[in-house]
C-alpha cells in the first residue's frame, strides 16, 4: 500500500483514526466517487430506479450561457480586420473546468479581450457553448478554425475530436477540396498523424486530386514530398508530368523548386513516343530543358535496350526506375467481384513485360485467384474418426480472404528482376474519378500481408469494402530491376 507523507505508522491515535477510511478505499478499489456509489445503489435493489435529468441539466447550463445569469467572466472577442467586438458573458467555473489557458487568463481578471482571426471569431460562441454542453456541430470548412481554437485554449478533448473528424472526412465531397489545406495546417501544428493521413489520401487518390481545384494550392514542400513517393496511384507518369506542368505554370515557383520537381518525374516510365512529344511541345521544357537534359537522355537509352543489358553499362542508382501504381491497362487490370463472399473466382489478364520500349512487343499472361475464406493447410478441418473438437467443422468459416497472382509462364522472375504485385482495394470510378482505400504490395500472394482485407466483413452488404455489393480490386504488376535501383 502506498503511504502518503502525512500518514506515518506509529505516530499515534491520529494515524489510527484513518484506518477504517483506508480499508474502505481499498475495498472499492477506486476513490469513492458519486457515480460508483449510485451504480451500486441501483444495481442491488430491485425496486430502485434511475431518475435521469441530465438533458435538463445541460439545457439549464445552456440557458445560463444564453442569458448570462450570474456571469463572472466577460469575453470580448476582437479581430484585426474590424472594429466590431463580440461580447460573451460566461462563467469561470465552466471555462476553467476544461481549459488551463482560461484558468490562467482568468486568475486575476474577469474581463478578457481576446484577439482572434476572423474565421475563428465567427465560431467563438459555438466554441464557448461546447464548455457548457460538451457538444458541437462541425462542417468541413470549420474544422481548421475550430481546431485552432481548441489548440490555443488547450481544450484537448475538442482538439482530439476535431482531428478525428478530419481523419474520417478526408474523402468527403467538397467543391474546392479540403485535404491540401488540412495537410498544410497539420504541418504547421506538427500533427504527424493527421499529416500522414492527408499524405496517404493525396497519394492514393492522386488522379482525383490532380483534376481538382486544390491541386494548384499544393505548396512547394508538399509537391516535392508527393513526387518522391512510389505509392502514388494515377493513370500514368505522363499524367503526372502534365499535372506538374500545370502546377508550375499557376504557381511560378523559383528555379530551385522547378528543378527539384522536374527531376522527380520518372521519365523511363514514359514510352519514348510520348517523351518525344513532351520534348517537342512542353512549354515547361522549352524554358527548363537544361534541368533534365541528362534524365531525358538516360530515359531514351533505357528504352533502346533491355533493362538488364542497360544496367550492365550504366551506373544508375535511383528511384527513376521504380514504377508507381499506374492504372493504365499495360500495367495491370481492374477486377470487380460481385458477391465476393460467395465462392472462389479467377481472372486472367495480360501486361507488358516491362516499361522498356525494347520489350514493348513482349506480353505476360497472369492468373489471379481470389478466395473469400482461405485457410492454410495446417488449419483445415481434418475428417477422421478421432474428431473430438466439434468447433473444427466450422473452421472453414474462419478463413480469411486471399488473392494470389501467378504468371502463366513459370519461373518468370529471372536474375535481378522481380515482379511486384500491388493490389489496390476499393478502386472506384465515378465520372472517371479513381478512389483507393488500401494498397497492398506482395510478391505473389496476399498471405504475405497479415492485414489483407482484415475487418472487411465481406458477408455483410453494408461492408464499406463493397460498392454495389461488389469488391473493387485493381492489380498492378511492377517489374523491379534490382540492378537499376541499388539503393537500400
Ligand atoms: C441519462 O439520459 C441521457 C439522455 O437520455 C443518456 O444519454 C444517459 O446515458 C442517461 N444516463 C444513464 C446513467 O443512464
Ligand atoms: C436568467 O435571467 C433572466 C432575466 O435576466 C431570467 O428571466 C431567468 O429566469 C434567469 N434564469 C435563471 C436560470 O436564473
Ligand atoms: C494579471 O497577471 C498577468 C501576469 O500574471 C499580468 O500580465 C496582468 O497585467 C495582470 N492583470 C491584471 C488586471 O492585474
Ligand atoms: C481515397 O478516396 C476514397 C473515397 O473518396 C476514400 O474512401 C479513401 O479512404 C481514400 N484513400 C485514402 C488513402 O485516404
Ligand atoms: C526557392 O524557394 C524555396 C522555398 O519556396 C526557398 O527555400 C529557396 O531558398 C528558394 N531558392 C532561391 C534560389 O530563391
Ligand atoms: C545507392 O544510393 C544509396 C543512397 O542513395 C546508397 O546508400 C547506396 O550505397 C548506393 N548504392 C550503390 C551501389 O551505389
Amino acid at each position: 500500500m502506498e503511504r502518503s507523507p502525512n500518514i506515518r505508522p506509529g505516530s499515534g491515535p491520529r494515524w489510527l483514526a484513518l484506518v477504517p477510511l483506508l480499508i474502505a478505499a481499498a475495498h472499492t478499489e477506486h476513490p469513492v466517487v458519486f457515480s460508483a456509489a449510485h451504480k451500486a445503489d441501483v444495481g442491488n435493489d430491485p425496486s430502485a430506479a434511475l431518475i435521469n435529468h441530465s438533458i435538463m441539466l445541460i439545457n439549464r447550463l445552456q440557458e445560463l450561457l444564453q442569458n448570462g445569469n450570474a456571469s463572472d467572466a466577460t469575453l470580448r472577442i476582437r479581430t484585426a480586420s474590424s472594429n466590431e467586438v463580440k461580447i460573451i458573458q460566461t462563467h469561470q467555473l465552466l471555462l476553467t473546468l476544461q481549459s488551463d489557458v482560461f484558468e490562467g487568463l482568468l486568475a486575476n481578471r474577469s474581463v478578457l479581450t481576446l484577439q482572434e482571426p476572423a474565421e475563428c471569431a465567427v465560431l467563438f460562441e459555438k466554441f464557448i457553448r461546447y464548455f457548457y454542453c460538451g457538444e458541437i456541430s462541425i462542417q468541413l470548412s470549420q474544422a481548421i478554425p475550430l481546431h485552432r481554437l481548441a489548440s490555443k485554449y488547450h481544450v484537448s478533448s475538442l482538439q482530439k475530436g476535431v482531428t478525428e473528424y478530419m481523419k474520417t472526412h478526408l474523402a468527403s465531397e467538397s467543391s474546392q477540396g479540403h485535404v491540401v489545406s488540412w495537410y498544410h495546417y497539420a504541418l504547421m501544428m506538427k500533427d504527424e498523424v493527421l499529416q500522414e493521413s492527408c499524405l496517404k489520401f493525396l497519394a492514393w487518390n492522386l488522379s482525383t486530386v490532380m483534376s481538382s481545384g486544390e491541386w494548384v494550392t499544393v505548396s512547394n514542400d508538399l509537391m516535392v514530398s508527393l513526387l518522391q513517393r512510389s505509392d502514388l496511384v494515377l493513370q500514368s507518369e505522363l499524367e503526372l508530368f502534365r499535372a506538374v506542368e500545370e502546377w508550375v505554370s499557376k504557381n511560378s515557383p523559383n528555379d530551385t523548386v522547378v528543378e527539384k520537381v522536374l527531376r522527380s518525374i520518372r521519365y523511363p516510365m514514359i514510352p519514348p513516343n510520348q517523351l518525344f512529344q513532351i520534348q517537342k511541345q512542353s512549354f515547361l521544357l522549352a524554358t527548363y530543358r537544361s534541368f533534365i537534359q541528362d534524365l531525358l537522355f538516360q530515359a531514351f537509352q533505357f528504352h533502346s535496350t533491355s533493362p538488364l543489358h542497360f544496367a550492365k553499362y550504366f551506373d544508375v542508382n535511383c528511384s527513376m526506375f521504380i514504377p508507381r501504381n499506374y492504372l493504365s491497362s499495360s500495367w495491370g487490370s481492374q477486377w470487380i467481384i460481385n458477391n465476393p463472399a460467395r465462392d472462389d473466382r479467377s481472372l486472367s489478364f495480360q501486361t507488358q513485360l516491362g516499361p522498356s520500349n525494347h520489350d514493348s512487343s513482349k506480353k505476360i499472361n497472369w492468373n489471379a485467384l481470389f478466395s473469400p475464406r482461405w485457410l492454410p493447410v495446417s488449419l483445415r478441418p481434418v475428417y477422421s474418426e478421432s474428431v473430438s473438437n466439434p468447433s473444427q467443422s466450422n473452421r472453414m468459416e474462419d478463413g480469411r480472404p486471399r488473392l494470389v497472382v501467378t504468371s502463366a509462364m513459370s519461373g518468370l522472375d529471372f536474375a535481378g528482376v522481380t515482379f511486384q504485385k500491388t493490389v489496390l482495394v476499393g478502386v472506384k470510378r465515378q465520372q472517371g474519378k479513381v478512389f483507393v482505400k488500401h494498397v497492398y504490395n506482395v510478391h505473389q500472394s496476399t498471405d504475405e500481408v497479415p492485414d489483407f482485407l482484415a475487418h472487411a466483413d465481406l458477408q455483410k452488404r453494408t461492408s464499406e469494402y463493397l460498392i454495389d455489393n461488389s469488391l473493387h480490386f485493381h492489380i498492378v504488376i511492377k517489374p523491379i530491376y534490382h540492378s537499376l535501383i541499388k539503393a537500400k
Side-chain angles (χ1 to χ4, degrees), residues 149-409:
L149 285 173
S151 309
K152 177 173 172 187
Y153 295 99
H154 289 184
V155 188
S156 58
S157 53
L158 181 60
Q159 200 179 346
K160 278 196 205 106
V162 178
T163 306
E164 201 46 44
Y165 167 84
M166 289 164 107
K167 271 191 272 175
T168 50
H169 286 78
L170 290 169
S172 295
E173 201 67 44
S174 64
S175 52
Q176 269 304 297
H178 49 280
V179 182
V180 170
S181 61
W182 286 2
Y183 171 82
H184 292 143
Y185 177 73
L187 190 66
M188 191 189 78
M189 300 301 289
K190 301 196 168 58
D191 183 334
E192 283 173 16
V193 177
L194 182 59
Q195 232 170 291
E196 189 48 38
S197 304
C198 291
L199 261 184
K200 250 190 191 170
F201 178 90
L202 295 170
W204 293 1
N205 291 303
L206 196 70
S207 283
T208 314
V209 176
M210 288 191 304
S211 60
S212 79
E214 66 180 334
W215 178 246
V216 296
T217 68
V218 169
S219 64
N220 294 345
D221 289 345
L222 175 54
M223 183 59 71
V224 169
S225 49
L226 273 177
L227 292 178
Q228 306 308 316
R229 295 178 74 118
S230 295
D231 63 347
L232 301 181
V233 177
L234 69 177
Q235 286 302 315
S236 64
E237 195 72 16
L238 183 66
E239 184 191 26
L240 186 60
F241 179 83
R242 298 255 185 255
V244 165
E245 198 169 42
E246 186 204 352
W247 178 83
V248 169
S249 75
K250 296 264 166 64
N251 284 279
S252 322
N254 67 27
D255 282 7
T256 320
V257 174
V258 175
E259 180 169 11
K260 223 174 196 170
V261 299
L262 276 182
R263 292 190 75 83
S264 304
I265 301 286
R266 303 184 176 176
Y267 298 98
M269 300 298 132
I270 304 178
N273 56 335
Q274 291 176 2
L275 277 178
F276 190 69
Q277 290 288 336
I278 291 179
Q279 285 214 91
K280 271 197 315 193
Q281 291 166 355
S282 162
F283 70 89
L284 197 56
L285 291 197
T287 318
Y288 298 109
R289 182 188 308 271
S290 61
F291 289 163
I292 56 158
Q293 195 71 53
D294 57 328
L295 296 181
L296 286 174
F297 184 54
Q298 187 187 56
F300 281 118
Q301 282 176 318
F302 171 78
H303 284 303
S304 66
T305 181
S306 85
L308 295 177
H309 194 242
F310 175 80
K312 270 189 215 150
Y313 290 90
F314 296 92
D315 202 13
V316 285
N317 176 8
C318 59
S319 55
M320 210 39 67
F321 300 95
I322 301 176
R324 308 189 209 251
N325 295 318
Y326 305 121
L327 298 167
S328 67
S329 63
S330 51
W331 291 91
S333 174
Q334 190 182 29
W335 190 10
I336 299 174
I337 303 178
N338 191 251
N339 261 319
R342 212 178 58 208
D343 46 25
D344 290 8
R345 310 298 162 82
S346 64
L347 170 79
S348 298
F349 61 97
Q350 196 176 57
T351 64
Q352 60 188 0
L353 175 65
S356 168
N357 189 60
H358 179 264
D359 295 329
S360 64
S361 61
K362 297 177 192 137
K363 306 283 182 229
I364 312 181
N365 294 313
W366 301 96
N367 297 318
L369 177 70
F370 174 73
S371 317
R373 283 176 299 277
W374 181 84
L375 277 180
V377 176
S378 61
L379 289 180
R380 287 187 196 157
V382 184
Y383 299 105
S384 69
E385 290 126 51
S386 65
V387 172
S388 52
N389 184 355
S391 72
Q392 280 232 326
S393 53
N394 297 329
R395 282 309 260 291
M396 221 52 204
E397 291 303 309
D398 299 343
R400 293 204 306 110
R402 179 172 95 142
L403 179 61
V404 177
V405 183
T406 49
S407 154
M409 290 141 77

Side-chain angles (χ1 to χ4, degrees), residues 63-102:
E63 273 170 33
L64 208 57
L65 175 63
Q66 260 161 31
N67 301 330
N69 303 41
S71 162
D72 58 358
T74 305
L75 307 182
R76 298 163 45 87
I77 319 301
R78 309 183 59 114
T79 58
S81 57
S82 100
N83 291 328
E84 205 183 313
V85 179
K86 185 183 288 175
I87 293 176
I88 310 178
Q89 300 296 344
T90 63
H91 303 82
Q92 292 206 11
L93 178 66
L94 285 153
L95 295 187
T96 57
L97 212 52
Q98 297 199 60
S99 159
D100 59 1
V101 172
F102 274 125

Side-chain angles (χ1 to χ4, degrees), residues 38 50 52-55:
H38 120 142
L50 179 69
N52 182 354
H53 293 161
S54 56
I55 291 200

